[in-house]
Amino acid sequence: MGADAPLVVLGVTGSIGRQTLDVATRLGREIAGIAAGRISPALIEAAEDWPQAKVAVAEEREVAHTSDVPAEVRRRLAFGHEAVAEMAATPATTVINGVVGAIGLRYTLSALEAGNRVGLANKESMVAAGALVRRTWRDNHAELIPIDSEHSALHQCLAGEPPSSVARLILTASGGPFRGSDRADLVAVTPEQALDHPTWNMGGRITVDSATLVNKGLEVIEAHHLFDVPAEAIEVVVHPQSIVHSAVQFVDGALKAHVGHPDMRVPIQYAITFPERQNNPGDPFMLAGLTLTFEEPDRDTFPALDLAFASLEAGLSAPATFNAADEVAVEAFLAGRIGFLDIVTVIEQALALVEPTAVDSYDAIVAVDGESRRVAAEVTGAIAKASDRVG
Ligand code: MG
């Protein structure tokens, strides 16, 4: 893969997508394509900023909403998931997948099948279909470099190290806004409280997932598949300052950690320039004056972590169910239909009710995802109804 490969940016109007355009500007990279779910002023602006880029809109019905799109941009527009998947397969590009949700898997597979490098910020790809993504990546001699801050840190710690030298992966967690709370404190948490993250500024679902520690659970599953390390060799430690992004313990007792400001442009740039590093004119990182603390996660207050490990142990489609049930539950929580603690109850019940099956194709994943959502919606509905009766 050429170190100067043009970029394809999927999810271009989201947080990762916008920061990728910043990094591309700084690095002087060409943008071959941009994609978003819907037509929006932000998408039109990005299209005008990058006049060479093709533009794809995932939602087919958006084709009816092009009246406000300047003719010059309209000329470059294509619609539908197939158009986005095709864009991801543009030969010899680096595809930054910043799409949120399980649909991102389709684009990841398409990019890997084309032998492209994928900078992966869509963790659902790895959680729902880790084994399939891994096989597609290997079979096509493609490259997959994580953009999640923890996994980028692990990738950087592991670079050049033979697998046999790795003792365990240590994922750090900020602990979210409710670190130090107990279950009684969390019963009445509102969406506004859950969306107020102390160190990272992120999108809606992922912020709630940080508050429940579901996000850390998803990251454990992701790390297992990305680095081919067994679940029992993956550990989570709470580190409220979010300065140590993750660490690797080696068999000789050495421990490497990746340390820096919480800034997603660092892992985005790394995924683009690896194995090289290029100048980033940000503030230099100073160790002097820092106080870093680490503690065990509170597994009683935040049972999502153990549920994630359990889903990994159950294997097959269980992690896909974990992910799908969480998406449904978080949506219900943000809509005020269920309580904060109910999110994990929905996941737990969905895992108990959906039989794990083999997931060796995109269609199999879609089927399990749909079934898991249906079951999670049923559980969510029952919880919402029960609390209506009480309230
Ligand atoms: Mg993360």
Side-chain angles (χ1 to χ4, degrees):
M1 204 77 34
D4 298 321
L7 305 181
V8 168
V9 187
L10 311 181
V12 72
T13 56
S15 162
I16 295 292
R18 281 182 279 114
Q19 294 183 79
T20 300
L21 294 183
D22 287 350
V23 172
T25 303
R26 192 165 73 202
L27 296 176
R29 276 304 166 102
E30 187 189 323
I31 304 284
I34 59 175
R38 277 173 283 283
I39 291 176
S40 65
L43 177 65
I44 294 171
E45 193 187 323
E48 288 180 320
D49 286 348
W50 300 90
Q52 310 302 325
K54 291 182 175 169
V55 185
V57 174
E59 297 291 342
E60 202 97 49
R61 60 176 180 271
E62 288 286 300
V63 76
H65 302 113
T66 55
S67 52
D68 292 339
V69 179
E72 188 284 313
V73 173
R74 212 179 308 158
R75 187 177 57 77
R76 290 183 274 146
L77 272 179
F79 291 88
H81 293 299
E82 198 50 48
V84 181
E86 241 171 65
M87 179 181 279
T90 307
T93 54
T94 289
V95 178
I96 305 299
N97 187 349
V99 170
V100 176
I103 183 65
L105 168 64
R106 180 158 169 199
Y107 312 145
T108 299
L109 292 174
S110 176
L112 292 174
E113 281 161 8
N116 284 332
R117 172 181 292 192
V118 176
L120 188 66
N122 174 264
K123 68 183 66 169
E124 292 87 348
S125 291
M126 249 3 210
V127 170
L132 175 63
V133 170
R134 206 177 161 78
R135 197 175 67 227
T136 309
W137 158 21
R138 288 291 148 91
D139 287 355
N140 294 285
H141 307 288
E143 288 181 286
L144 197 153
I145 301 182
I147 287 182
D148 215 349
S149 62
E150 294 80 358
H151 303 82
S152 177
L154 292 170
H155 193 280
Q156 297 184 52
C157 293
L158 289 166
E161 304 280 0
S164 60
S165 67
V166 175
R168 64 201 168 100
L169 307 183
I170 304 164
L171 275 125
T172 50
S174 72
F178 307 130
R179 185 177 59 90
S181 303
D182 58 29
R183 289 184 71 78
D185 301 329
L186 299 183
V187 173
V189 160
T190 62
E192 291 70 32
Q193 290 169 318
L195 288 172
D196 189 16
H197 193 277
T199 46
W200 289 97
N201 188 6
M202 308 172 291
R205 179 193 172 202
I206 189 173
T207 305
V208 176
D209 284 349
S210 300
T212 54
L213 292 202
V214 163
N215 183 54
K216 209 48 57 178
L218 294 171
E219 291 181 354
V220 166
I221 298 166
E222 192 185 0
H224 162 74
H225 290 300
L226 273 170
F227 305 114
D228 205 13
V229 167
E232 55 273 20
I234 304 175
E235 188 184 303
V236 173
V237 64
V238 172
H239 166 51
Q241 297 84 20
S242 300
I243 293 293
V244 175
H245 298 311
S246 277
V248 177
Q249 170 85 64
F250 294 94
V251 290
D252 62 357
L255 185 143
K256 277 193 197 174
H258 179 261
V259 180
H261 297 298
D263 179 353
M264 287 311 293
R265 282 168 296 198
V266 176
I268 291 169
Q269 177 164 324
Y270 176 79
I272 294 171
T273 66
F274 175 82
E276 286 170 27
R277 292 189 186 269
Q278 286 183 29
N279 195 36
N280 172 355
D283 295 336
F285 183 79
M286 308 301 273
L287 281 171
L290 283 180
T291 304
L292 304 179
T293 61
F294 302 89
E295 62 199 44
E296 291 288 340
D298 175 354
R299 303 183 109 94
D300 295 326
T301 307
F302 302 102
L305 204 51
D306 286 337
L307 273 181
F309 276 100
S311 80
L312 206 43
E313 203 163 302
L316 303 171
S317 60
T321 297
F322 179 94
N323 175 64
D326 176 64
E327 273 192 42
V328 170
V330 168
E331 204 173 294
F333 167 68
L334 290 175
R337 295 177 55 230
I338 63 172
F340 181 76
L341 293 176
D342 296 329
I343 296 171
V344 172
T345 306
V346 171
I347 300 172
E348 188 171 19
Q349 293 193 21
L351 281 172
L353 292 167
V354 179
E355 186 71 30
T357 54
V359 279
D360 45 15
S361 69
Y362 177 71
D363 290 343
I365 302 283
V366 171
V368 165
D369 184 72
E371 169 68 359
S372 301
R373 278 166 206 275
R374 192 187 60 74
V375 169
E378 259 175 42
V379 174
T380 302
I383 292 173
K385 209 168 157 195
S387 66
D388 270 358
R389 231 175 288 136
V390 175

